[in-house]
Amino acid sequence: MSPTRLWPALFLLCSLASAQVSGLSAAAPGAVPPAPVSPALVSPATVSPATVSPESVTGVAALPGGTRLVCADTSLWKLGAGKPVRFTLPESCQGLRVSPSGQLALVAGAKAATVWHLGDGKMLTQIQWPDPARRAAFLGDAALLLAGANGLERLDLGTQARTSLRPGAATGAVTGVVAAPDGQRAVVGDGTRVQLVNLADGQVLSGVRCEAACPVQDAQFGAGRRVAVVRAGDTLYALREGHPATVVLRGAQGSAGFPLADGGTWVLTAGRIERRDVQTGRREGVVRPEGVSGPAAWTPQGGLLFVSGRELVELDAAGRKVGRTALP
């Protein structure tokens, strides 16, 4: 099916683009909103002697200046030049995202999502998940995009105001959403199809109707933000602007794909990192044959950060090992 025929997504994203422009215009670019939360939601960072099991790590992030984040169990760790700093989470971490400025972290749990200010370790807000979805994404630094049973909502982090971006339940639930770091594009899924969309004009850039149920589990954008590799159900799809979706890997449970500028993608699967072609899915080589034991994330330099044993290992854009950080 041609992506341009998926008219419900066009209607959705036209509304989304309008709400995004009007809702974010009052905030300065890169501004981090204040934290109008009750004292019960404020959890200061602490130095803790607790240790992290590599198997418990569910999210990592690399920030400018060498700071690294690790999400494991009920802890969010900030690792840098000094002692590790621990933020105590209200429930076990199931995923981690960082805002474009690197000042905020979004932690997903089973019942709710929490947003943290990384500078002082305080919680900005806690959001109960709308049933049946469990997905949220940063929409720039001032707002979140929430997926739910009745569509999408925009949550202003400064005022806590919510704006519905999809009218009623007639068009069904949105079960997955991942926005690009610049807030211009997003991957949207409803459990049966996955689409890459332009948030500025609502255009569907690429998409696929799945052969079986395909809830969005993870999505990573390339440096140009025009390509996303998405794990939906048990398949890795490549969504490229202006091109049909392609299958990178089937049987991809637990895998993740990181698209490269040259038409390839790094695929983390079965404890190793492979290089595959995003158009054909053909394996082109093995970057690291073993030792990948947890989630991964882009670094600001275009490399990759991942868990290996009791360390965070960093690769540069060419796949060379350039750094490592011990887990707490």
Side-chain angles (χ1 to χ4, degrees):
M1 177 179 291
S2 171
T4 57
R5 295 179 60 188
L6 301 178
W7 59 265
L10 288 174
F11 176 77
L12 155 64
L13 272 304
C14 287
S15 300
L16 173 58
S18 175
Q20 182 185 19
V21 171
S22 61
L24 293 180
S25 59
V32 175
V37 298
S38 65
L41 291 182
V42 175
S43 300
T46 59
V47 176
S48 172
T51 59
V52 172
S53 158
E55 295 78 15
S56 69
V57 176
T58 50
V60 298
L63 306 183
T67 299
R68 303 293 180 250
L69 300 180
V70 176
C71 206
D73 295 323
T74 56
S75 300
L76 175 62
W77 295 86
K78 184 168 71 169
L79 310 178
K83 294 182 179 180
V85 177
R86 176 175 176 255
F87 305 161
T88 303
L89 305 174
E91 59 177 326
S92 293
C93 174
Q94 295 189 352
L96 173 67
R97 293 282 177 177
V98 178
S99 68
S101 69
Q103 298 182 56
L104 304 178
L106 172 67
V107 179
K111 298 179 180 179
T114 51
V115 179
W116 298 80
H117 193 286
L118 296 173
D120 55 18
K122 292 183 178 180
M123 189 189 297
L124 279 172
T125 191
Q126 186 175 34
I127 307 138
Q128 296 299 314
W129 290 124
D131 288 332
R134 297 288 186 273
R135 298 293 173 183
F138 277 111
L139 197 57
D141 282 283
L144 293 181
L145 193 59
L146 305 179
N150 296 325
L152 291 175
E153 286 185 321
R154 178 189 180 276
L155 172 67
D156 188 291
L157 289 175
T159 65
Q160 304 298 295
R162 294 190 182 213
T163 306
S164 177
L165 301 177
R166 190 169 186 175
T171 48
V174 176
T175 59
V177 58
V178 180
D182 60 7
Q184 299 302 307
R185 291 170 175 80
V187 169
V188 178
D190 64 5
T192 62
R193 61 185 173 184
V194 183
Q195 297 168 317
L196 174 66
V197 293
N198 188 326
L199 299 183
D201 57 12
Q203 182 182 5
V204 178
L205 306 174
S206 183
V208 59
R209 184 174 291 277
C210 308
E211 299 172 357
C214 58
V216 173
Q217 305 293 329
D218 180 72
Q220 301 291 339
F221 288 82
R225 319 304 184 199
R226 297 178 182 274
V227 179
V229 175
V230 186
R231 178 162 61 89
D234 64 354
T235 303
L236 277 183
Y237 294 101
L239 304 181
R240 299 174 297 146
E241 182 174 338
H243 298 276
T246 55
V247 174
V248 176
L249 181 66
R250 297 186 187 277
Q253 297 91 336
S255 300
F258 292 78
L260 306 169
D262 61 3
T265 183
W266 285 335
V267 175
L268 281 67
T269 184
R272 65 181 184 176
I273 302 176
E274 301 175 348
R275 178 189 165 93
R276 289 179 176 265
D277 183 85
V278 296
Q279 184 173 355
T280 66
R282 181 173 59 89
R283 192 176 72 184
E284 299 177 328
V286 177
V287 178
R288 186 178 177 92
E290 59 184 11
V292 181
S293 59
W298 287 119
T299 67
Q301 295 76 30
L304 200 64
L305 182 74
F306 58 91
V307 179
S308 179
R310 288 205 50 79
E311 293 182 325
L312 293 177
V313 174
E314 181 179 340
L315 305 182
D316 64 12
R320 298 181 294 256
K321 183 177 178 179
V322 293
R324 60 185 188 179
T325 304
L327 292 175

